[in-house]
Amino acid sequence: MVYKAEYLWLDGSSPSVRLRSKTKIVEDGKHPPMWGFDGSSTQQATGDNSDVVLSPVLSVPDPIRGGKDVLVLSETLLTDMKPHPTNTRAACAASSEKYGDFDTWFGIEQEYTFFEGAAPLGWPENGFPAPQGDYYCGVGADVIFGRDIVEAHMDACLQAGLHIAGINAEVMPGQWEFQIGPVGTPRAADELWIARWLLGRIAEDYGVTVSFAAKPVPGDWNGAGAHTNISTKQMRSDYDACIAAAEALGKNAAEHIANYGAGIEDRLTGLHETASYKDFSYGVSDRGASVRIPWQVARDKKGYIEDRRPNANMDPYVVTRLIIDTVCGDASK
Ligand code: ADP
Ligand code: MN
Ligand code: MN
Ligand code: MN
């Protein structure tokens, strides 16, 4: 007997990487082996030296096919078994290990926008829907678009054993959010990539596409972010460590902004619940700050902080690696 293994990997697309996948039939009782693909078709190699190696890092039950079938998230290697230049996971895993004593957890809020053709799902053929105000966490067919897909995606994430924490409808019509975590990294980033793949795959069946664009509609409409919530062991027991983490992020703001996703200047304008990409600020309950300290954390004097800057189209391996390096690096001085 055999089972189906769907291998998922990150390609070399620019300015934002995308997921690719293909299927391997594997004999029962055997683990999904190393595999490979044609890197010249994914912006990861030239045609005369096209082989890129797929090395499995996380297998989970495949909620689409069911049964014994699995999803196999893989990292990309060169044929000498070194990380491929587009492999951002290797550095993330290295930083996580280097600062392992900090036991850093991440909770990532992934916002995204459904599209049907050229317009967000639920938008009128001509013109614009009613302005923002009634869509966020709304109910009713006049404000909610795509709930079937969102529910199917949440169930799929649970069946795959991902740490999905919840979902909500967002401020712009056709826009939604799911949260992964809190969980350590690179696991948090691995799970986010699998959850992104599941979303795109499920939406296919509805003829809908998923956009992670940071500013899917220009003008007076909210962008799409990926707020990244962080805690170290120290922060989970001590408020001073939470403040120190926010201060550390402020000292390295430019490097973070440069790596938080394509088109970040269009989203972090200072309007629409963002702080300008040119400034750094943090504050309790402040959704206009770069970094927010949730009110419960200020009350309990311990917990986590929320980096509100990452774009929906960010690479979570890059973002979680940078945060670990900045926060844990500063605390180690
Ligand atoms: P909001 O929309 O108010 O910003 P959400 O409920 O969408 O908040 O997201 C909060 C996130 O914080 C969740 O993803 C959750 O996993 C994460 N989180 C909670 N506790 C911690 C913690 N100790 N460390 C890191 N992340 C955490
Ligand atoms: Mn949220
Ligand atoms: Mn949100
Ligand atoms: Mn948030």
Side-chain angles (χ1 to χ4, degrees):
M1 292 293 287
V2 296
Y3 67 96
K4 296 175 198 151
E6 186 76 10
Y7 283 63
L8 278 49
W9 74 95
L10 278 59
D11 71 7
S13 290
S14 154
S16 302
V17 289
R18 295 174 64 105
L19 283 159
R20 308 277 179 141
S21 77
K22 61 176 182 155
T23 312
K24 186 174 189 61
I25 306 298
V26 184
E27 273 177 48
D28 271 352
K30 296 208 167 132
H31 290 297
M34 278 201 178
W35 201 18
F37 65 95
D38 166 16
S40 71
S41 299
T42 60
Q43 283 98 58
Q44 285 166 303
T46 50
D48 57 347
N49 186 16
S50 66
D51 285 327
V52 178
V53 175
L54 287 174
S55 176
V57 293
L58 179 61
S59 288
V60 298
D62 180 346
I64 308 287
R65 292 182 172 136
K68 304 172 290 189
D69 297 338
V70 291
L71 304 177
V72 185
L73 182 70
S74 302
E75 65 177 336
T76 51
L77 306 179
L78 300 167
T79 49
D80 65 3
M81 300 298 126
K82 296 210 174 82
H84 189 274
T86 60
N87 175 343
T88 49
R89 186 184 191 276
C92 176
S95 286
S96 187
E97 196 175 315
K98 177 177 176 191
Y99 293 112
D101 290 348
F102 285 82
D103 191 20
T104 312
W105 297 352
F106 290 90
I108 304 171
E109 305 168 49
Q110 175 71 63
E111 295 179 341
Y112 59 92
T113 311
F114 287 133
F115 271 74
E116 200 169 33
L121 187 65
W123 284 47
E125 295 251 317
N126 297 302
F128 292 92
Q132 295 184 160
D134 295 336
Y135 305 106
Y136 172 75
C137 298
V139 61
D142 54 338
V143 287
I144 288 296
F145 310 98
R147 198 190 291 277
D148 285 358
I149 309 173
V150 172
E151 291 285 328
H153 175 251
M154 181 161 46
D155 284 340
C157 287
L158 289 170
Q159 283 163 26
L162 307 185
H163 293 83
I164 186 165
I167 59 104
N168 60 267
E170 269 303 335
V171 175
M172 188 181 94
Q175 205 171 59
W176 294 83
E177 169 181 316
F178 66 86
Q179 305 102 27
I180 292 285
V183 64
T185 212
R187 173 102 198 184
D190 288 340
E191 291 195 18
L192 187 68
W193 277 116
I194 294 173
R196 284 175 173 181
W197 186 87
L198 282 169
L199 185 60
R201 173 62 191 81
I202 290 166
E204 264 178 30
D205 292 346
Y206 294 79
V208 166
T209 54
V210 178
S211 169
F212 295 109
K215 193 77 183 176
V217 184
D220 205 12
W221 302 95
N222 270 41
H227 299 166
T228 301
N229 300 271
I230 323 116
S231 65
T232 60
K233 193 169 65 187
Q234 292 82 351
M235 292 163 69
R236 290 191 290 274
S237 64
D238 174 23
Y239 194 59
D240 288 343
C242 295
I243 299 297
E247 291 277 349
L249 288 172
K251 286 182 226 162
N252 201 19
E255 191 187 358
H256 284 248
I257 290 288
N259 289 282
Y260 274 8
I264 199 161
E265 299 84 0
D266 298 330
R267 173 175 153 264
L268 298 186
T269 56
L271 302 171
H272 304 109
E273 302 177 60
T274 70
S276 167
Y277 71 95
K278 295 176 194 152
D279 305 323
F280 180 88
S281 58
Y282 67 89
V284 175
S285 293
D286 188 352
R287 285 173 199 270
S290 316
V291 169
R292 169 175 146 261
I293 299 170
W295 65 270
Q296 303 95 319
V297 175
R299 179 197 62 194
D300 299 345
K301 295 279 174 261
K302 62 181 181 182
Y304 66 99
I305 62 173
E306 176 193 44
D307 190 341
R308 300 176 58 78
R309 297 169 296 169
N311 273 351
N313 60 8
M314 60 80 153
D315 176 350
Y317 292 128
V318 173
V319 169
T320 59
R321 192 243 321 145
L322 258 178
I323 291 175
I324 287 188
D325 284 349
T326 298
V327 169
C328 304
D330 186 79
S332 304
K333 273 184 200 150

